[in-house]
Amino acid sequence: MPYQNKKVLICGFQSFAAQGLPQRLLESGCLVDGFARRKTGPVFGLRQQISGNADKLTENAEFDQSYDIVLNYLLLKNGSIAENEQYLQQLIDFCLQKGVKHLIHISSVSVYPGRLVDVDESSPIETNPSAKGAYGALKVASDNYLLHNTPDSICLSFVRPGFILGKGLVDPIVGMAFRTPFNRLFLLGNRKNHVPITTREIVNRAVTVLAQKETTALKSKQCYILVSPNSPDRLTYLKQLSTDAGYGKSPLWLPNPLWQAAASMLGILELGLNSKRNLRKPISNATRAQRFSSTKTATTLGLDLEVDWRREIIASIDGQERNFSLPPPIERPMTDPSKIGYIGWGRIVQQKHLPALKRLGLNPKIVAYDLFERTDPNGQKIERIDISPLVPASLYVVATPGPQHHQAIEHCSKLTCPVLIEKPLAYNEEQLNAWLAFSTTYPSSLSVCHNYRFKSNVLQMWDFLKRYNSGPIKHVDVWFQSPPVANESTPWLRDEHRSRTLLYDYSIHFLDLACQLNPGEWKLNLARAEKNYRGETALIQGQATSSSYSVSFLLRQGSIPRRAKIRFVFQNYDATLDFFPETFSASMSPASPNILRRNASDLAKITRQKVYEKLTGKDSDRSHDLAILSSLSHSEQPLLIDRLSNFYRLLFCLGDCVYA
């Protein structure tokens, strides 16, 4: 019979392993029908989809009068061995009824005895289902039933794949480990036991090749093992899964003799208690160290069974591609700046910029400009900016009060060096557009000092994300609270409603951190505000969305301690930034006292450090140091004003809703 005319029935076409097979068989010239116990939506490649009871195949009138090949993917996972054997008898009777010449049964490498170290196509399968776990017992019973009850008139091919990787994989650890409260996987059993890996694509190719073969070229009963020859051991596999899919840090494991001793002790305990539960079996099975060879199958089917399993793991698990970019490393400039200029000479310069230059080991000449000519207590001469032209320098910093930043554009127009503008860049769309227009003709970089992006806990988070794949970002929660604005020492900030202090000064860093993973457009979905008796904005609450994730925020000021928390919800785990003091934590496991204790320990440590710094006058905060280096760097700069423009537009929209 020509291959193109073969009629194929797939029993269990809805199964994970069978996805994509109908299309492949159709492209090969087969006429393909599918059977499932429940009705489903249309599947490309199937001529007709048939549903019904698995134990009444021979009574189902929807089938064709005849089939050449039956592919059996169906396993009654929630059924007993007896129920599965009843279905298999129906399958055999159906094959005889429809004149089927070739039955291809999709089995598993789990049918082989745990005592075998090296397994190949000639190895005997387990005959005692009770020696296996629940899934393995059904597979063992099914293979043995077909082996002993399928008549010789039907060619029986056992396809025994290893662990199948493919899109839609539900659980990549499948009993090999479990999550601990320590953000680490705990490996079960022998760490040297191999994980026999294959892919759904390879299984589909192998089944298609078998379907092409004429029955005269087949043996009455033959098995095919589908396992990649470069399959890893359990520890290697779990380490890769931990880093590439964010399942945890390096896995924990116990020496195999301890597992063997545990199995022996449970066996003795069961004998003493006359227990019918075989607790020893799963532990005993886990201590094995099996290796699988599929050389004969590869030769017989003419297939390359080797798998790039590292790549396939990530391709199999949903949502592993990041929808954001990690910030580039900050490079120190090739030459130190010889001169740095300041437009504005307020407290931010004294408290942050000058100490940062000292910590960086830079000793540039400082030129300063402000509204009034004077000499500060440290001997620094400040020129009057309206009558003194700006001299050339390696870097200029705009450190005027926020509402006056845009006035520096005129003064910067004759410069050619990088310019760093203290936050906030602008207070409205008009000021932002003025900066953006200026940036199109300015010969160097214009960046904004959102220095919280360089806080120690934020840098810890970036480092963690680099080591452990987070998958895409899904949502961010921001919670910030501050003491009263009325206690602010700077007069213009105390006028909260006019200066929009709670939003534009106090909260801007935390909203920026929440939104930084999407430099694209943001939409404000919800905003509400409350005022206190003095007419100040006491609370801002709302939600914003981008094309990739959403942000919820609650910002408030009043008779409360200063605190802030930002929780990033990624596909694979959560990451939390706490401020005042700064700490970072990641949660790769269920909430546990251990994680809470560790967070408390980190908080106590950083609090002691902050108290010591206050008493000694030292400052470990390096965020302004790195912001200055970033503005001087020739590498990619995420703080350029055009990359922050969409964030500021969201800020203006929220500000108009709150302060209008």
Side-chain angles (χ1 to χ4, degrees):
M1 177 183 297
Y3 166 63
Q4 285 75 9
N5 295 331
K6 285 186 177 181
K7 291 165 64 178
V8 179
L9 172 67
I10 305 174
C11 291
F13 69 89
Q14 295 175 317
S15 71
F16 167 79
Q19 292 176 26
L21 179 61
Q23 179 179 354
R24 179 176 284 275
L25 290 171
L26 177 66
E27 291 170 350
S28 299
C30 291
L31 303 175
V32 189
D33 289 351
F35 171 76
R37 287 177 289 169
R38 292 177 296 276
K39 291 185 178 180
T40 184
V43 174
F44 182 78
L46 290 180
R47 185 180 57 162
Q48 61 174 333
Q49 297 174 210
I50 305 160
S51 60
N53 294 331
D55 57 353
K56 294 182 179 180
L57 290 178
T58 57
E59 301 174 21
N60 195 321
E62 294 185 55
F63 291 110
D64 272 10
Q65 292 299 313
S66 65
Y67 289 97
D68 301 298
I69 302 170
V70 169
L71 308 176
N72 181 46
Y73 283 80
L74 193 56
L75 180 72
L76 310 181
K77 293 182 180 179
N78 296 322
S80 64
I81 289 178
E83 289 172 326
N84 274 272
E85 290 178 343
Q86 184 179 358
Y87 158 67
L88 293 173
Q89 186 56 55
Q90 273 287 302
L91 184 65
I92 293 170
D93 293 343
F94 177 88
C95 290
L96 293 172
Q97 182 189 76
K98 302 298 183 181
V100 174
K101 299 299 182 184
H102 191 188
L103 172 59
I104 302 175
H105 175 65
I106 309 303
S107 178
S108 167
V109 293
S110 63
V111 301
Y112 291 102
R115 64 182 179 274
L116 293 181
V117 175
D118 295 297
V119 177
D120 60 20
E121 293 84 353
S122 63
S123 300
I125 66 171
E126 179 64 69
T127 57
N128 179 17
S130 65
K132 294 285 184 178
Y135 174 80
L138 294 179
K139 284 293 187 181
V140 166
S142 297
D143 277 31
N144 278 291
Y145 190 88
L146 288 175
L147 196 61
H148 295 102
N149 293 279
T150 305
D152 291 340
S153 60
I154 300 173
C155 288
L156 177 60
S157 296
F158 291 98
V159 175
R160 292 175 178 144
F163 181 40
I164 302 175
L165 300 177
K167 284 284 188 184
L169 179 67
V170 175
D171 184 6
I173 58 178
V174 286
M176 289 183 277
F178 66 85
R179 295 180 187 264
T180 71
F182 310 101
N183 275 350
R184 300 176 72 174
L185 292 174
F186 185 81
L187 190 153
L188 297 173
N190 192 341
R191 64 187 175 93
K192 296 182 179 180
N193 189 19
H194 277 214
V195 183
I197 285 178
T198 188
T199 66
R200 185 167 55 211
E201 173 65 20
I202 288 176
V203 175
N204 287 348
R205 289 209 316 262
V207 169
T208 302
V209 170
L210 276 175
Q212 289 176 332
K213 292 182 176 293
E214 298 300 329
T215 53
T216 54
L218 296 168
K219 294 182 180 180
S220 176
K221 293 179 177 63
Q222 189 168 356
C223 86
Y224 304 88
I225 293 178
L226 302 179
V227 170
S228 175
N230 66 334
S231 294
D233 59 49
R234 282 194 176 188
L235 184 58
T236 303
Y237 175 82
L238 292 173
K239 280 182 177 179
Q240 196 71 32
L241 193 63
S242 294
T243 55
D244 285 9
Y247 267 68
K249 301 177 183 178
S250 184
L252 300 167
W253 53 275
L254 294 176
N256 201 47
L258 290 181
W259 290 106
Q260 293 170 336
S264 300
M265 291 177 65
L266 283 174
I268 295 172
L269 182 63
E270 287 167 356
L271 287 175
L273 297 176
N274 196 23
S275 173
K276 294 182 179 180
R277 295 183 63 188
N278 192 349
L279 300 175
R280 177 181 181 273
K281 177 181 62 180
I283 297 181
S284 180
N285 288 339
T287 63
R288 69 183 186 275
Q290 282 187 317
R291 295 182 295 270
F292 296 86
S293 172
S294 53
T295 304
K296 184 177 179 182
T297 297
T299 302
T300 303
L301 300 182
L303 296 175
D304 180 6
L305 302 182
E306 186 164 324
V307 173
D308 183 353
W309 61 270
R310 290 179 172 85
R311 180 179 63 84
E312 292 293 339
I313 289 176
I314 302 306
S316 299
I317 307 172
D318 292 339
Q320 294 306 299
E321 293 295 328
R322 289 193 177 108
N323 57 354
F324 61 92
S325 299
L326 295 173
I330 299 172
E331 300 175 357
R332 193 178 180 96
M334 297 293 293
T335 57
D336 289 346
S338 58
K339 187 181 296 182
I340 293 181
Y342 283 90
I343 303 175
W345 194 256
R347 65 174 183 174
I348 191 69
V349 178
Q350 317 297 323
Q351 294 177 356
K352 297 297 182 181
H353 284 267
L354 297 183
L357 295 176
K358 186 176 181 180
R359 285 192 298 266
L360 289 170
L362 303 177
N363 190 30
K365 180 180 179 182
I366 301 296
V367 290
Y369 301 86
D370 210 336
L371 293 177
F372 305 103
E373 182 179 353
R374 64 190 188 276
T375 300
D376 76 359
N378 296 318
Q380 175 65 48
K381 186 177 181 181
I382 296 102
E383 304 286 348
R384 224 176 106 177
I385 195 167
D386 58 342
I387 61 174
S388 302
L390 303 186
V391 300
S394 304
L395 171 71
Y396 262 90
V397 178
V398 177
T400 56
Q404 279 76 52
H405 281 348
H406 66 286
Q407 298 176 7
I409 294 176
E410 180 182 354
H411 301 295
C412 295
S413 60
K414 296 179 181 180
L415 298 176
T416 59
C417 65
V419 174
L420 175 64
I421 306 125
E422 267 292 343
K423 61 83 185 170
L425 170 68
Y427 274 70
N428 53 51
E429 192 79 28
E430 182 182 357
Q431 294 177 9
L432 174 65
N433 289 336
W435 278 112
L436 290 172
F438 179 58
S439 70
T440 59
T441 58
Y442 191 70
S444 190
S445 63
L446 298 172
S447 53
V448 189
C449 191
H450 284 200
N451 62 290
Y452 270 53
R453 293 197 183 192
F454 305 113
K455 287 285 189 179
S456 59
N457 55 343
V458 178
L459 298 180
Q460 288 175 30
M461 185 177 76
W462 295 143
D463 182 62
F464 195 89
L465 293 176
K466 289 174 184 176
R467 287 184 289 140
Y468 306 103
N469 180 28
S470 64
I473 179 71
K474 299 294 186 180
H475 181 73
V476 180
D477 286 309
V478 180
W479 171 64
F480 167 72
Q481 64 181 34
S482 167
V485 173
N487 292 340
E488 177 62 51
S489 61
T490 306
W492 64 270
L493 287 176
R494 284 200 298 270
D495 189 352
E496 199 281 329
H497 196 74
R498 177 175 295 181
S499 299
R500 304 186 173 190
T501 307
L502 176 59
L503 179 61
Y504 280 37
D505 191 87
Y506 286 11
S507 304
I508 186 172
H509 285 304
F510 309 106
L511 291 175
D512 172 54
L513 289 175
C515 296
Q516 66 178 313
L517 299 182
N518 179 64
E521 294 183 1
W522 284 89
K523 178 183 178 183
L524 183 65
N525 298 326
L526 171 69
R528 79 175 189 92
E530 297 177 2
K531 291 184 179 181
N532 59 23
Y533 184 78
R534 294 184 298 274
E536 300 165 347
T537 305
L539 180 143
I540 302 172
Q541 183 182 13
Q543 185 185 61
T545 54
S546 68
S547 59
S548 51
Y549 68 100
S550 57
V551 172
S552 297
F553 50 87
L554 191 150
L555 320 167
R556 65 186 185 130
Q557 60 98 5
S559 300
I560 42 182
R562 187 171 61 158
R563 288 188 61 191
K565 183 186 291 288
I566 308 176
R567 177 171 169 260
F568 295 83
V569 181
F570 296 101
Q571 172 77 15
N572 296 337
Y573 52 81
D574 296 351
T576 302
L577 298 174
D578 282 281
F579 294 86
F580 317 119
E582 297 88 29
T583 61
F584 161 74
S585 62
S587 180
M588 296 171 154
S589 61
S592 69
N594 175 72
I595 291 179
L596 296 177
R597 282 195 302 270
R598 189 187 63 193
N599 293 346
S601 175
D602 291 344
L603 180 61
K605 180 180 179 181
I606 194 69
T607 300
R608 289 193 298 269
Q609 179 182 338
K610 292 294 182 182
V611 170
Y612 172 77
E613 291 173 0
K614 287 291 184 182
L615 294 174
T616 59
K618 296 181 178 180
D619 187 1
S620 63
D621 180 17
R622 300 292 183 265
S623 60
H624 270 84
D625 310 30
L626 297 175
I628 292 171
L629 285 182
S630 177
S631 64
L632 290 167
S633 174
H634 293 289
S635 60
E636 182 186 352
Q637 298 181 43
L639 296 182
L640 295 177
I641 62 175
D642 58 335
R643 290 182 60 83
L644 290 168
S645 60
N646 285 309
F647 165 72
Y648 273 95
R649 291 190 178 98
L650 172 65
L651 197 69
F652 302 151
C653 184
L654 177 57
D656 290 343
C657 291
V658 171
Y659 292 97

PDB file of all heavy atoms in Angstrom, residues 117-130:
ATOM      1  N   VAL A 117      21.460  -0.470  35.655  1.00  0.00           N
ATOM      2  CA  VAL A 117      22.299   0.728  35.580  1.00  0.00           C
ATOM      3  C   VAL A 117      22.356   1.238  34.146  1.00  0.00           C
ATOM      4  O   VAL A 117      22.155   2.421  33.883  1.00  0.00           O
ATOM      5  CB  VAL A 117      23.718   0.443  36.110  1.00  0.00           C
ATOM      6  CG1 VAL A 117      24.613   1.666  35.915  1.00  0.00           C
ATOM      7  CG2 VAL A 117      23.670   0.045  37.579  1.00  0.00           C
ATOM      8  N   ASP A 118      22.636   0.359  33.201  1.00  0.00           N
ATOM      9  CA  ASP A 118      22.716   0.716  31.786  1.00  0.00           C
ATOM     10  C   ASP A 118      21.533   0.103  31.057  1.00  0.00           C
ATOM     11  O   ASP A 118      21.334  -1.116  31.071  1.00  0.00           O
ATOM     12  CB  ASP A 118      24.029   0.225  31.174  1.00  0.00           C
ATOM     13  CG  ASP A 118      25.241   0.923  31.779  1.00  0.00           C
ATOM     14  OD1 ASP A 118      25.340   2.149  31.617  1.00  0.00           O
ATOM     15  OD2 ASP A 118      26.056   0.242  32.426  1.00  0.00           O
ATOM     16  N   VAL A 119      20.761   0.955  30.414  1.00  0.00           N
ATOM     17  CA  VAL A 119      19.531   0.523  29.748  1.00  0.00           C
ATOM     18  C   VAL A 119      19.650   0.796  28.259  1.00  0.00           C
ATOM     19  O   VAL A 119      20.046   1.893  27.847  1.00  0.00           O
ATOM     20  CB  VAL A 119      18.304   1.256  30.322  1.00  0.00           C
ATOM     21  CG1 VAL A 119      17.040   0.860  29.573  1.00  0.00           C
ATOM     22  CG2 VAL A 119      18.150   0.977  31.810  1.00  0.00           C
ATOM     23  N   ASP A 120      19.308  -0.197  27.434  1.00  0.00           N
ATOM     24  CA  ASP A 120      19.199   0.016  25.992  1.00  0.00           C
ATOM     25  C   ASP A 120      17.969  -0.728  25.480  1.00  0.00           C
ATOM     26  O   ASP A 120      17.165  -1.250  26.263  1.00  0.00           O
ATOM     27  CB  ASP A 120      20.469  -0.425  25.259  1.00  0.00           C
ATOM     28  CG  ASP A 120      20.790  -1.907  25.450  1.00  0.00           C
ATOM     29  OD1 ASP A 120      19.876  -2.687  25.822  1.00  0.00           O
ATOM     30  OD2 ASP A 120      21.952  -2.292  25.232  1.00  0.00           O
ATOM     31  N   GLU A 121      17.830  -0.795  24.164  1.00  0.00           N
ATOM     32  CA  GLU A 121      16.631  -1.365  23.566  1.00  0.00           C
ATOM     33  C   GLU A 121      16.452  -2.855  23.882  1.00  0.00           C
ATOM     34  O   GLU A 121      15.325  -3.377  23.806  1.00  0.00           O
ATOM     35  CB  GLU A 121      16.647  -1.172  22.049  1.00  0.00           C
ATOM     36  CG  GLU A 121      16.540   0.272  21.587  1.00  0.00           C
ATOM     37  CD  GLU A 121      17.871   1.008  21.572  1.00  0.00           C
ATOM     38  OE1 GLU A 121      18.882   0.438  22.048  1.00  0.00           O
ATOM     39  OE2 GLU A 121      17.906   2.147  21.087  1.00  0.00           O
ATOM     40  N   SER A 122      17.541  -3.542  24.246  1.00  0.00           N
ATOM     41  CA  SER A 122      17.443  -4.975  24.537  1.00  0.00           C
ATOM     42  C   SER A 122      17.153  -5.266  26.007  1.00  0.00           C
ATOM     43  O   SER A 122      16.952  -6.422  26.383  1.00  0.00           O
ATOM     44  CB  SER A 122      18.741  -5.674  24.123  1.00  0.00           C
ATOM     45  OG  SER A 122      19.836  -5.177  24.889  1.00  0.00           O
ATOM     46  N   SER A 123      17.113  -4.246  26.845  1.00  0.00           N
ATOM     47  CA  SER A 123      16.906  -4.442  28.283  1.00  0.00           C
ATOM     48  C   SER A 123      15.472  -4.887  28.573  1.00  0.00           C
ATOM     49  O   SER A 123      14.518  -4.400  27.949  1.00  0.00           O
ATOM     50  CB  SER A 123      17.199  -3.153  29.045  1.00  0.00           C
ATOM     51  OG  SER A 123      18.532  -2.734  28.842  1.00  0.00           O
ATOM     52  N   PRO A 124      15.285  -5.807  29.523  1.00  0.00           N
ATOM     53  CA  PRO A 124      13.939  -6.235  29.896  1.00  0.00           C
ATOM     54  C   PRO A 124      13.232  -5.145  30.693  1.00  0.00           C
ATOM     55  O   PRO A 124      13.864  -4.381  31.419  1.00  0.00           O
ATOM     56  CB  PRO A 124      14.180  -7.473  30.762  1.00  0.00           C
ATOM     57  CG  PRO A 124      15.535  -7.234  31.364  1.00  0.00           C
ATOM     58  CD  PRO A 124      16.327  -6.507  30.317  1.00  0.00           C
ATOM     59  N   ILE A 125      11.915  -5.088  30.563  1.00  0.00           N
ATOM     60  CA  ILE A 125      11.168  -4.095  31.320  1.00  0.00           C
ATOM     61  C   ILE A 125      10.746  -4.685  32.666  1.00  0.00           C
ATOM     62  O   ILE A 125      10.798  -5.901  32.883  1.00  0.00           O
ATOM     63  CB  ILE A 125       9.927  -3.600  30.547  1.00  0.00           C
ATOM     64  CG1 ILE A 125       8.905  -4.730  30.376  1.00  0.00           C
ATOM     65  CG2 ILE A 125      10.323  -3.004  29.215  1.00  0.00           C
ATOM     66  CD1 ILE A 125       7.573  -4.260  29.807  1.00  0.00           C
ATOM     67  N   GLU A 126      10.340  -3.832  33.571  1.00  0.00           N
ATOM     68  CA  GLU A 126       9.850  -4.250  34.878  1.00  0.00           C
ATOM     69  C   GLU A 126       8.556  -5.056  34.706  1.00  0.00           C
ATOM     70  O   GLU A 126       7.721  -4.735  33.861  1.00  0.00           O
ATOM     71  CB  GLU A 126       9.609  -3.015  35.749  1.00  0.00           C
ATOM     72  CG  GLU A 126       9.073  -3.303  37.132  1.00  0.00           C
ATOM     73  CD  GLU A 126      10.040  -4.095  37.975  1.00  0.00           C
ATOM     74  OE1 GLU A 126      11.099  -3.548  38.347  1.00  0.00           O
ATOM     75  OE2 GLU A 126       9.740  -5.288  38.229  1.00  0.00           O
ATOM     76  N   THR A 127       8.409  -6.095  35.484  1.00  0.00           N
ATOM     77  CA  THR A 127       7.179  -6.906  35.412  1.00  0.00           C
ATOM     78  C   THR A 127       6.269  -6.691  36.606  1.00  0.00           C
ATOM     79  O   THR A 127       5.113  -7.112  36.581  1.00  0.00           O
ATOM     80  CB  THR A 127       7.546  -8.399  35.330  1.00  0.00           C
ATOM     81  OG1 THR A 127       8.354  -8.756  36.464  1.00  0.00           O
ATOM     82  CG2 THR A 127       8.298  -8.694  34.044  1.00  0.00           C
ATOM     83  N   ASN A 128       6.782  -6.036  37.630  1.00  0.00           N
ATOM     84  CA  ASN A 128       5.999  -5.813  38.849  1.00  0.00           C
ATOM     85  C   ASN A 128       5.637  -4.338  38.969  1.00  0.00           C
ATOM     86  O   ASN A 128       6.480  -3.515  39.345  1.00  0.00           O
ATOM     87  CB  ASN A 128       6.801  -6.261  40.071  1.00  0.00           C
ATOM     88  CG  ASN A 128       6.038  -6.029  41.367  1.00  0.00           C
ATOM     89  OD1 ASN A 128       4.823  -5.833  41.362  1.00  0.00           O
ATOM     90  ND2 ASN A 128       6.755  -6.046  42.481  1.00  0.00           N
ATOM     91  N   PRO A 129       4.394  -3.944  38.665  1.00  0.00           N
ATOM     92  CA  PRO A 129       4.010  -2.536  38.744  1.00  0.00           C
ATOM     93  C   PRO A 129       4.218  -1.931  40.128  1.00  0.00           C
ATOM     94  O   PRO A 129       4.490  -0.737  40.246  1.00  0.00           O
ATOM     95  CB  PRO A 129       2.530  -2.542  38.363  1.00  0.00           C
ATOM     96  CG  PRO A 129       2.345  -3.791  37.563  1.00  0.00           C
ATOM     97  CD  PRO A 129       3.287  -4.786  38.159  1.00  0.00           C
ATOM     98  N   SER A 130       4.093  -2.718  41.175  1.00  0.00           N
ATOM     99  CA  SER A 130       4.207  -2.183  42.532  1.00  0.00           C
ATOM    100  C   SER A 130       5.636  -1.724  42.847  1.00  0.00           C
ATOM    101  O   SER A 130       5.862  -1.054  43.856  1.00  0.00           O
ATOM    102  CB  SER A 130       3.770  -3.229  43.553  1.00  0.00           C
ATOM    103  OG  SER A 130       4.641  -4.350  43.540  1.00  0.00           O
TER     104      SER A 130
END
